[in-house]
Amino acid sequence: MTIMDMLIIVLGLLMLLVLTLKKVPVSLAALISVVTIIIFSNMPVLGSLSDSYLEGFASFMKSSWLMILLGAVLSKLMDMTGAARAIATFIINFLGEKRAIPSIILAGGLLAYGGVSSMVACFALYPIALAIFRKADLPRYLLPAAIGAGIFTWVTMLPGNPSVVNIVPISYLGTTAMAAPAIGIICALVTLILSVVYFEFETGKARKRGIGFQADDETERILAQADELEASGKVPNPILSILPVVCIAVVLNIFNADIAVALLSGIVLCFVLFYKNIHNMKDSMLEATNSAAVTMINACSIVGIGSVIKAAPGFQKIVDFVLNFSQSGGNPLIIFGIATTVLCGLNASGMGGLSTTLSALGEAFLAMGVNPEILHRVGVIAATGLDSLPHSGGIVAVLTISGVSYKDGYRHLFMVTVVFTLMALAIAVVLGNITGF
C-alpha cells in the first residue's frame, strides 16, 4: 500500500497538470485534484476539505492578500500613468529589440535581489514587460517565462540574496548569506545564459512562423491608453518612472519596513509624480482589485493542494523514503541535492523542502565533515528546481497576472524554472565535490 499511497499523490498532481493544460479554470482543477487525492487516500472528504484544503487556502490568503492587492494597484498605476511605457521605451531604445527579453530578466533579478517578494515583483514587472513585448513584437506566451526567469531562478542562487531560501540554512549550518560565493555566481550565470539562449531560440522560431505580439481586447484597451499618452507627449520621464519601484526597494531594505508599507509608499509616489495622467480612477481601481482577487483565489487554490498532500498518508512515506535513501551512503552533496529538490517539489515550496531536508540531514552531514558553506549553496540552488511544478503558487500567480494559460505558457516556464535550474544544481554538486567538502 506504501507505493500506492505515493502514486496517489503523483496522480493528483498529474490530474492538475492535465486539467490546467485543457484550460479548465485553475480553482476548479485544483479542487478536482484535491478530491481525487482525498478519495483514493481513504481520507474523510468533508473533514479533509475543511481542515486541510481550506485551512491552507485561508492561511495563504491571510498572509498574502494585502501584498497582492497593493501590488495590483501599483501595477495598474504604472500602466495607466504611462510610467511602464516610458521604462519600456527607454529599454528598447537603449538596448534594442534583440535584447528585450534579457532586459526583463535582468530587471526581475534586480527587483528580487533588492528584497522585493516574487509576487510583488511579478505585479511590478508585468506592465513594463507587456509594453516591451509589444514594442518588440514578441509572442505573449513567452512573457510569463521571461518574468519567471528573472525572479525565480538565477538571482536566487546568488550569494547575499535576501530571499528566504538563502536565509533558512543559516540557522541550521551556522553560515552566512554569502556562503560559497563562487559556486553561487557560476551557477547563476549558467542559468542566466541558458535562459537567454532559450529565449533567442524561441523568439527566432516564432518569427519564422510569423507569430508576433497578440493581445485580448482588455489588454489592447490598456495599451491603447498608453498609446494616447505617447501621442499627446504625456508619457513621463523614464528616470522618474522607475522611482516608485526604487522607492519600494529602499523602504523595504533601508528602512526595514513591512512590504505593505513599502508598496503603499510606491503607490503614493506614483500618485504624486504622475497625477496629471490619472483618469477614470474608480474603474481602474476596480480592475486592479479584480485582478488581485483572481490571482489570489487561484494561488490559494493551488497552495491548498499542498496542505492536503502534506496530510495524505503518501506524503510522509515519500519523505521517509527520501530521507532513508539519503542515509544509505553515497556522495553527500548528490544525496542532499536530490533530497532537497524532491521535497521542494512535494511541498511546492523551496523554503518548505529545504527546511525539511536541513532539519533531517544537516547535522549528520556536518558530522561527516561536509563543508557547511557548500552545503548551504547546494541547498539553495536545489530549492529553485522542482518548487516550480504546476502546483506552485508562484507559477499560477505569474501566469494569472500575465493573462496566459497553462497550456500556452507553462512549457516555457518549465524550461527556465525547472530544467535549467536542475542543470545548475548538477553543476553546483560537481563544483562542490571538486572544491572539497
Side-chain angles (χ1 to χ4, degrees):
M1 190 63 185
T2 299
I3 295 178
M4 185 56 70
D5 287 335
M6 297 180 186
L7 290 177
I8 287 168
I9 292 176
V10 175
L11 172 66
L13 295 178
L14 285 175
M15 180 172 289
L16 173 68
L17 177 60
V18 171
L19 291 173
T20 50
L21 290 179
K22 293 291 184 181
K23 297 191 176 182
V24 174
V26 172
S27 55
L28 179 58
L31 184 59
I32 294 172
S33 302
V34 161
V35 171
T36 300
I37 293 172
I38 290 172
I39 291 175
F40 284 97
S41 296
N42 291 320
M43 300 165 66
V45 177
L46 293 179
S48 297
L49 285 174
S50 60
D51 294 340
S52 297
Y53 180 69
L54 290 180
E55 281 187 7
F57 187 107
S59 177
F60 190 74
M61 174 74 77
K62 179 180 178 181
S63 65
S64 304
W65 168 242
L66 188 58
M67 175 180 68
I68 286 180
L69 176 61
L70 292 175
V73 171
L74 175 69
S75 178
K76 175 57 68 175
L77 286 173
M78 292 287 286
D79 231 340
M80 69 185 296
T81 60
R85 173 65 62 89
I87 296 168
T89 302
F90 175 80
I91 289 173
I92 291 294
N93 291 341
F94 184 72
L95 296 176
E97 292 183 2
K98 289 186 176 181
R99 298 184 182 88
I101 292 183
S103 69
I104 294 170
I105 297 174
L106 291 173
L110 288 173
L111 285 173
Y113 201 83
V116 179
S117 74
S118 58
M119 289 280 192
V120 173
C122 285
F123 275 111
L125 196 56
Y126 169 67
I128 300 169
L130 183 68
I132 289 174
F133 263 63
R134 189 202 191 194
K135 281 187 170 291
D137 194 27
L138 297 171
R140 193 175 174 188
Y141 57 75
L142 291 176
L143 199 155
I147 294 175
I151 296 169
F152 300 143
T153 63
W154 66 279
V155 70
T156 307
M157 303 174 187
L158 288 174
N161 190 299
S163 65
V164 176
V165 291
N166 195 37
I167 303 302
V168 164
I170 295 174
S171 59
Y172 291 96
L173 304 174
T175 50
T176 69
M178 291 297 296
I183 292 176
I185 292 170
I186 291 171
C187 290
L189 287 175
V190 168
T191 305
L192 178 60
I193 291 169
L194 286 172
S195 298
V196 171
V197 170
Y198 176 76
F199 284 117
E200 284 292 320
F201 172 76
E202 287 294 330
T203 53
K205 188 167 68 173
R207 288 191 182 100
K208 288 180 181 178
R209 294 166 59 188
I211 301 174
F213 183 83
Q214 295 177 334
D216 53 40
D217 293 340
E218 177 61 21
T219 303
E220 286 291 1
R221 185 184 65 79
I222 293 170
L223 290 170
Q225 293 175 352
D227 288 341
E228 290 177 12
L229 288 173
E230 195 165 27
S232 60
K234 293 182 179 179
V235 172
N237 180 281
I239 303 301
L240 290 178
S241 298
I242 199 67
L243 287 182
V245 178
V246 173
C247 176
I248 292 170
V250 169
V251 173
L252 188 65
N253 294 288
I254 304 301
F255 296 101
N256 296 317
D258 184 82
I259 182 63
V261 175
L263 282 168
L264 196 57
S265 67
I267 290 169
V268 170
L269 184 57
C270 205
F271 267 110
V272 171
L273 292 175
F274 314 124
Y275 68 92
K276 292 182 179 179
N277 289 352
I278 296 176
H279 305 287
N280 300 321
M281 191 64 187
K282 181 180 178 181
D283 291 341
S284 296
M285 290 303 99
L286 180 61
E287 290 172 9
T289 303
N290 288 339
S291 173
V294 171
T295 302
M296 190 79 253
I297 293 297
N298 286 344
C300 288
S301 300
I302 295 296
V303 170
I305 295 177
S307 299
V308 172
I309 288 175
K310 290 176 186 177
F315 175 77
Q316 190 57 48
K317 289 171 183 175
I318 294 175
V319 172
D320 291 342
F321 174 80
V322 171
L323 296 181
N324 288 336
F325 169 77
S326 301
Q327 296 167 355
S328 62
N331 186 281
L333 293 181
I334 294 176
I335 291 169
F336 184 71
I338 293 174
T340 299
T341 199
V342 169
L343 293 180
C344 287
L346 282 175
N347 283 275
S349 163
M351 180 188 69
L354 183 57
S355 299
T356 302
T357 313
L358 284 169
S359 62
L361 303 175
E363 288 187 11
F365 282 167
L366 290 177
M368 292 168 59
V370 179
N371 185 317
E373 291 204 355
I374 294 176
L375 200 63
H376 177 132
R377 193 56 51 201
V378 168
V380 169
I381 295 169
T384 64
L386 296 181
D387 70 319
S388 297
L389 292 177
H391 62 300
S392 161
I395 292 298
V396 71
V398 72
L399 286 169
T400 305
I401 292 166
S402 302
V404 177
S405 69
Y406 267 84
K407 182 177 181 179
D408 295 333
Y410 182 69
R411 174 168 65 89
H412 307 290
L413 270 167
F414 182 80
M415 288 298 298
V416 298
T417 64
V418 177
V419 175
F420 296 157
T421 52
L422 289 179
M423 291 170 68
L425 172 60
I427 293 170
V429 169
V430 171
L431 290 176
N433 279 289
I434 290 173
T435 54
F437 298 161

